[in-house]
Amino acid sequence: MIKKFLDLGSQPLANQYLKKPRKLSFKKGDLYNLSVNFNTKTKLVSISRKISKKRMFNNSYPYRSSMSKTMLNSFKLLSKKIKNEFKPKLFLEIGSNDGALIKNFDNKKSICVEPCANLAKITKKNNYQTYSKYWDYSLSKEIKKKYNKVDVIYSANTLTHIANLNEVFKSICNILSGDGVLIIEDPSLLECIKKTSYDQFYNEHIYVFSALALKNIINEFGLELFNITKLKTHGGSLRYYIKRKSNNKIKVSKNVSTQIKDEIKNGLNKFSTFKKFSKNTLKSKKKLVSLLKKIKNKNKQIVGYGATAKATTILNYCSIDEKIINFFLDTTPNKINKYMPGKKIKIIKYDKKLLNNIDYIFLGAWNFKEEIFKKEKKFINRGGKFIIHVPTPKIITL
Ligand code: JHZ
């Protein structure tokens, strides 16, 4: 049974940064209702309204994985591990974005799948075989025809963005070799619940996986988890290592049962946990709004740092506008001089100087806070403060 536990109201598409701010009257179809459900049978958490893939992932997709050192370092370390441990003869990445990970692999032994043509162009230019197509069964057949089987398939923050999970795994099984390995990583539902990071929910995050739910889904395809590692990236992610059940050469690590036990201990198998999360979300919203208003009443200046997809959920759910946050700073070329979705808050090209008269930074990219704190020593040293909303809205003084 599918049960709704959270309503984040009317939302614009995250990552749809517009050149002109929309008037308050949105055109029909520009907004959708963002509510989140729990499947009592599979334990899968998903948003209820699914937006078409063509509207979300097209030739003007702005997000670039290479914009953060944290992600580049994480990908570098992982690629070393993959090469050492699994020694792939052929490596496939689903959702290769701008090549942040695949650039660590030999272009003659790797394949990129990236439906956003503007991003696929980058890996093509660097001579990586790139399929600028959505991941589906017909693409898996096309790749199989040319390359036969693939040894290692990797996908970060992508499979949760595809509505039809059955097709996702059927297509993976179609080309994964008998002793091949599938590695995926995505934000952890447990971390999301613990931190009340309701901003992990937006149109692109159709699912937020728990190990518990993923185990149930892949079971249907003769696949099983053989290891899980915890990552700090994106507010706490899990990296899942998956193999065919028939492959007895690889042992199943204890990490798998430890993670699943921890998720059950924290109630990820029970609807009541999500109802509580929903209450915590409302409390978090009230606290954040009151904190921001208190600061504004003292005539202080607040800017956003990191025009994230997550921030779209926060701004629209909490009705935070340009009277509260002056502008957002971001380094991503395709976001600059545009507006935060649904708001009149402009995104300005990152320049340290713009922080000179600013008292507070609202961390849109709170998941990169360590990287940002390192970069903004000057702001910190002159008494600048950060506002973060996870695990509870507060001011950070460093
Ligand atoms: P970041 C996107 O979500 C969308 P977002 C997507 N659905 C997903 O799952 C994750 O990515 C992986 C900027 N920045 O990574 C760059 C600076 O300006 O939290 C980015 O615009 N300066 C695919 O958007 C944003 O912040 C900096 O120093 O929530 C970070 O976006 C740093 C570190 C980042 O993902």
Side-chain angles (χ1 to χ4, degrees):
M1 192 159 78
I2 292 179
K3 290 169 94 175
K4 174 173 154 179
F5 64 87
L6 180 66
D7 194 333
L8 293 164
S10 202
Q11 292 276 350
L13 300 193
N15 268 317
Q16 206 179 68
Y17 302 90
L18 300 171
K19 285 192 184 127
K20 282 187 187 152
R22 283 261 159 82
K23 301 227 172 68
L24 286 175
S25 55
F26 274 85
K27 279 189 270 150
K28 207 179 163 212
D30 283 343
L31 295 173
Y32 71 101
N33 175 262
L34 177 57
S35 48
V36 193
N37 300 331
F38 175 65
N39 184 323
T40 53
K41 190 174 165 228
T42 61
K43 317 298 175 204
L44 184 63
V45 163
S46 63
I47 59 168
S48 49
R49 169 81 201 281
K50 296 174 182 73
I51 307 294
S52 91
K53 57 189 178 196
K54 286 187 186 136
R55 276 192 76 196
M56 296 194 285
F57 307 111
N58 45 46
N59 61 2
S60 55
Y61 190 67
Y63 182 73
R64 299 270 309 262
S65 305
S66 297
M67 289 297 123
S68 114
K69 281 192 186 142
T70 313
M71 289 316 292
L72 291 174
N73 288 342
S74 170
F75 288 147
K76 202 173 194 166
L77 283 175
L78 173 67
S79 49
K80 270 191 194 150
K81 188 179 157 75
I82 292 179
K83 284 189 253 181
N84 287 341
E85 270 182 40
F86 305 114
K87 302 178 180 59
K89 289 194 278 303
L90 192 56
F91 176 77
L92 168 76
E93 186 180 9
I94 305 172
S96 47
N97 196 276
D98 60 0
L101 170 106
I102 212 142
K103 69 176 185 186
N104 299 296
F105 287 85
D106 183 346
N107 59 5
K108 286 172 214 77
K109 295 185 195 162
S110 354
I111 308 165
C112 304
V113 171
E114 177 47 66
C116 304
N118 59 320
L119 299 171
K121 215 160 75 184
I122 304 172
T123 47
K124 276 183 190 166
K125 209 173 136 202
N126 292 324
N127 295 320
Y128 283 87
Q129 165 71 55
T130 307
Y131 290 86
S132 189
K133 293 185 173 178
Y134 296 100
W135 178 249
D136 59 17
Y137 196 63
S138 104
L139 178 59
S140 79
K141 281 202 292 193
E142 189 181 334
I143 297 176
K144 191 175 179 180
K145 211 169 161 194
K146 184 158 177 198
Y147 295 95
N148 196 15
K149 297 276 177 177
V150 177
D151 309 298
V152 176
I153 302 179
Y154 173 73
S155 189
N157 303 302
T158 301
L159 302 189
T160 50
H161 295 51
I162 308 176
N164 190 342
L165 288 179
N166 282 337
E167 184 161 8
V168 163
F169 290 105
K170 184 179 153 201
S171 314
I172 285 171
C173 286
N174 189 33
I175 57 165
L176 188 68
S177 62
D179 48 11
V181 168
L182 164 69
I183 307 166
I184 63 179
E185 67 184 68
D186 284 282
S188 147
L189 181 64
L190 183 55
E191 289 302 314
C192 165
I193 299 294
K194 279 186 178 169
K195 295 192 172 91
T196 318
S197 56
Y198 59 87
D199 54 343
Q200 287 293 4
F201 297 108
Y202 52 90
N203 57 298
E204 291 178 13
H205 283 183
I206 300 174
Y207 307 100
V208 176
F209 283 160
S210 60
L212 190 61
L214 187 61
K215 178 180 176 260
N216 291 335
I217 297 161
I218 61 174
N219 184 42
E220 307 289 314
F221 296 90
L223 297 171
E224 69 179 352
L225 291 158
F226 69 87
N227 201 357
I228 298 177
T229 52
K230 290 182 185 176
L231 306 173
K232 282 191 174 163
T233 54
H234 292 299
S237 296
L238 290 179
R239 185 174 282 153
Y240 305 95
Y241 292 81
I242 297 165
K243 66 172 184 70
R244 292 184 192 275
K245 284 186 204 163
S246 54
N247 174 3
N248 297 321
K249 286 185 213 151
I250 301 177
K251 271 199 176 158
V252 176
S253 157
K254 253 184 105 180
N255 294 346
V256 176
S257 57
T258 307
Q259 175 66 28
I260 291 175
K261 272 185 204 149
D262 195 22
E263 291 182 352
I264 293 174
K265 200 177 113 207
N266 283 282
L268 293 198
N269 55 340
K270 286 190 299 208
F271 185 64
S272 55
T273 308
F274 298 97
K275 282 306 281 178
K276 196 167 161 224
F277 171 76
S278 175
K279 279 189 189 142
N280 290 343
T281 297
L282 190 60
K283 274 191 212 154
S284 174
K285 167 185 175 168
K286 286 183 181 157
K287 203 166 170 188
L288 178 64
V289 171
S290 115
L291 179 67
L292 294 172
K293 285 195 173 151
K294 244 188 230 161
I295 294 172
K296 279 319 275 184
N297 286 341
K298 288 185 197 150
N299 265 327
K300 302 285 185 196
Q301 302 306 314
I302 310 173
V303 297
Y305 198 118
T308 57
K310 296 184 288 294
T312 297
T313 297
I314 303 173
L315 299 181
N316 289 281
Y317 174 61
C318 300
S319 303
I320 299 168
D321 60 18
E322 73 284 0
K323 289 181 211 93
I324 297 179
I325 295 186
N326 303 14
F327 54 85
F328 265 77
L329 287 175
D330 203 287
T331 52
T332 314
N334 280 346
K335 295 185 184 178
I336 288 158
N337 291 331
K338 294 184 180 159
Y339 288 83
M340 289 304 289
K343 295 288 158 190
K344 284 190 200 154
I345 310 176
K346 199 163 184 176
I347 304 163
I348 298 184
K349 186 176 177 190
Y350 172 77
D351 181 347
K352 255 190 193 347
K353 287 198 282 286
L354 293 168
L355 290 172
N356 283 349
N357 301 313
I358 301 301
D359 307 293
Y360 290 85
I361 284 175
F362 171 71
L363 282 167
W366 57 270
N367 42 315
F368 294 123
K369 65 177 194 296
E370 280 89 9
E371 183 176 337
I372 295 170
F373 295 159
K374 249 192 223 159
K375 229 161 110 179
E376 303 309 339
K377 287 254 161 65
K378 198 173 154 207
F379 172 79
I380 297 167
N381 290 341
R382 67 159 181 80
K385 295 182 177 71
F386 292 90
I387 303 162
I388 193 163
H389 80 289
V390 290
T392 179
K394 63 175 181 233
I395 295 168
I396 304 178
T397 318
L398 294 156

